[in-house]
Amino acid sequence: MAQAYHLQERFERPGPKRILALDGGGVRGLLTVGMLAQLEAHLRQRYNKPDMRLCEYFDLIGGTSTGSIIATGLALGMSVADISALYKTVIPKVFKRWWLQGMGVFAPMFVAGPLTKALKAEFEGRTLESGDLKCGLAIHCKRIDTGSAWILVNHPRWKYFSQNSGFRLRDIVQASAAAPHYFKGVMLRLPVPGDADRSIDAFVIDGGVAGYNNPAMELALAATDPAYGFNWKSGKDNLYILSLGTGFFRERLNARQYARKTFVGQTLNALRGMIHDVSLQQIAYMQSISETQKHWFINTEKGDQPTAPYLATEPVLHFQRYDARIEQVDADKRLPEHAQKLLNRELDDAEIKCLAEITNSQEANLALLDDIGHRAGAYFLSVAAPPAKFDV
């Protein structure tokens, strides 16, 4: 158990705390990686440290689904270049369709083997209490057999740390990425306190189903709620959360075409829409209680919440959202973070369709996601770089 305390001094060190929140989104995680590459380069230049890793800047890194893979790699001290290379190598294998594989109705669309193999190679047998973790880590998932939304953290004073610290990182990350319809869930075995011979089965799936696809708000709660051990001080000068998306896409359908879809098709559309709605809701909530440099545009009713914060007398934290909009809209309605603006060219409907798919592993699509991510990162760093008051 001694390993679990190697970060204790850092967790309890006085001063402002920095949190990185990473969304889920399948192959669109490459867009996140592109933004992270720009962020890492920016911080290396700012601190004149060419080999600086993001785990040195952020005190806690958390993610859901594809974001949990990135978060775990970063928390273990991987560079963004390492993670980018891993993604580009593994994604085509993970999202390869086999001719005998199901359509996601009676069996998952994809087999779990390639992802299991990749996570085993990268994370080996390390557990949640591993001494190799360089900063705080939070993985979001859903325990489906009990209906419990889970956030697993590596703080030794977390209420359930002694019970869950032995989980292998590769298993809980794979569970976080086990999106229904696409992958099978993961069975974890929970030890029974005081009885070494007994265990309880826990069936765990993607955290997006629990409303954690954008984990920013839950990370804010985990960082300040004593139950998780961190118990960090809130306030606009004390807590910084940088939230990165995987591409903002709002699906727009013709009502009559939607009505003609199969029931399964309508159900999947509704589920995807729910995940998008909850994520956008999280951003609106966070902006309504936070100091923000560059507000994210919510909708035509709320706009970019120009008078926020308005749910709190004083900002509870400093919050910033980075993402790219990959939806097709008229040119006069495009914002600086729209992909067409970032690329300085039009995207045809086929490209937009590919970008929106979370399982599209075609080389051209992956390259486009990477390019958009780099450009989005450069844009947001030009208008909303990490504030100097949170410098290490």
Side-chain angles (χ1 to χ4, degrees):
M1 184 64 72
Q3 275 189 329
Y5 290 88
H6 72 289
L7 291 168
Q8 190 73 25
E9 188 276 332
R10 181 174 182 181
F11 290 153
E12 296 180 354
R13 188 183 304 158
K17 297 299 181 184
R18 297 157 292 271
I19 300 173
L20 180 63
L22 305 173
D23 285 17
V27 303
R28 281 161 39 186
L30 258 179
L31 193 151
T32 305
V33 174
M35 292 189 288
L36 288 171
Q38 294 288 345
L39 175 64
E40 185 183 68
H42 172 87
L43 293 174
R44 287 176 172 181
Q45 184 177 30
R46 177 187 289 194
Y47 296 113
N48 193 27
K49 189 174 182 181
D51 61 347
M52 185 177 183
R53 306 297 170 94
L54 292 179
C55 61
E56 298 174 59
Y57 181 79
F58 291 101
D59 300 289
L60 173 62
I61 303 177
T64 301
S65 197
T66 195
S68 75
I69 299 173
I70 302 169
T72 304
L74 293 177
L76 286 168
M78 293 175 68
S79 69
V80 178
D82 292 335
I83 293 174
S84 178
L86 170 66
Y87 261 63
K88 291 173 182 176
T89 301
V90 171
I91 281 176
K93 299 174 184 177
V94 171
F95 292 102
K96 181 178 180 180
R97 294 291 302 278
W98 301 91
W99 70 276
L100 287 175
Q101 194 65 17
M103 296 297 291
V105 179
F106 301 108
M109 288 184 68
F110 303 99
V111 295
L115 181 58
T116 303
K117 183 178 179 180
L119 295 177
K120 182 178 181 180
E122 292 300 324
F123 303 149
E124 300 176 334
R126 297 182 182 93
T127 65
L128 198 59
E129 64 175 339
S130 172
D132 292 333
L133 289 167
K134 306 292 193 291
C135 67
L137 174 65
I139 296 173
H140 299 76
C141 47
K142 167 88 171 180
R143 183 179 173 185
I144 200 70
D145 56 304
T146 62
S148 304
W150 270 15
I151 172 171
L152 301 161
V153 301
N154 64 331
H155 198 300
R157 292 186 180 171
W158 168 37
K159 183 176 181 179
Y160 290 109
F161 185 78
S162 61
Q163 187 174 356
N164 297 332
S165 61
F167 284 152
R168 293 183 304 192
L169 294 176
R170 71 185 197 228
D171 293 332
I172 55 179
V173 166
Q174 183 149 10
S176 177
H181 176 68
Y182 298 109
F183 293 102
K184 185 180 179 181
V186 175
M187 188 73 77
L188 300 176
R189 295 193 178 277
L190 290 166
V192 176
D195 191 343
D197 297 325
R198 290 182 59 214
S199 63
I200 301 171
D201 290 336
F203 195 73
V204 186
I205 62 172
D206 193 310
V209 180
Y212 292 162
N213 201 62
N214 174 351
M217 178 169 283
E218 189 62 24
L219 284 168
L221 294 174
T224 53
D225 187 336
Y228 291 95
F230 298 100
N231 203 22
W232 290 339
K233 187 177 180 182
S234 62
K236 64 183 179 65
D237 299 326
N238 300 316
L239 199 60
Y240 171 53
I241 295 186
L242 178 60
S243 169
L244 269 62
T246 57
F248 179 95
F249 178 79
R250 181 170 67 174
E251 190 169 20
R252 301 168 188 265
L253 299 169
N254 177 281
R256 292 187 179 277
Q257 290 176 337
Y258 181 80
R260 288 196 293 268
K261 280 179 172 286
T262 64
F263 180 71
V264 171
Q266 291 180 357
T267 302
L268 290 175
N269 271 116
L271 179 60
R272 285 196 297 267
M274 180 273 293
I275 290 175
H276 163 83
D277 293 343
V278 172
S279 178
L280 190 60
Q281 186 182 61
Q282 301 276 8
I283 299 170
Y285 284 164
M286 291 297 285
Q287 289 186 163
S288 72
I289 61 173
S290 305
E291 174 185 76
T292 303
Q293 293 155 277
K294 174 70 172 68
H295 286 218
W296 184 262
F297 184 87
I298 303 299
N299 54 38
T300 54
E301 185 174 27
K302 293 185 178 71
D304 65 357
Q305 298 174 292
T307 61
Y310 42 70
L311 271 184
T313 305
E314 293 292 332
V316 176
L317 65 145
H318 188 102
F319 170 77
Q320 185 59 58
R321 177 71 170 180
Y322 290 5
D323 202 358
R325 297 178 187 269
I326 54 176
E327 55 189 351
Q328 192 72 282
V329 297
D330 295 337
D332 62 339
K333 295 180 180 178
R334 291 173 189 164
L335 299 168
E337 66 269 19
H338 268 98
Q340 297 90 334
K341 287 267 192 179
L342 295 168
L343 295 166
N344 196 29
R345 73 171 178 87
E346 290 298 314
L347 291 170
D348 60 39
D349 290 341
E351 288 176 305
I352 294 289
K353 184 176 183 295
C354 288
L355 287 171
E357 295 170 355
I358 65 171
T359 63
N360 191 318
S361 60
Q362 295 176 10
E363 185 176 349
N365 187 56
L366 299 184
L368 186 55
L369 284 167
D370 186 51
D371 188 14
I372 293 171
H374 275 83
R375 292 171 184 265
Y379 164 69
F380 277 102
L381 284 163
S382 72
V383 296
K389 64 183 175 181
F390 292 103
D391 277 350
V392 176

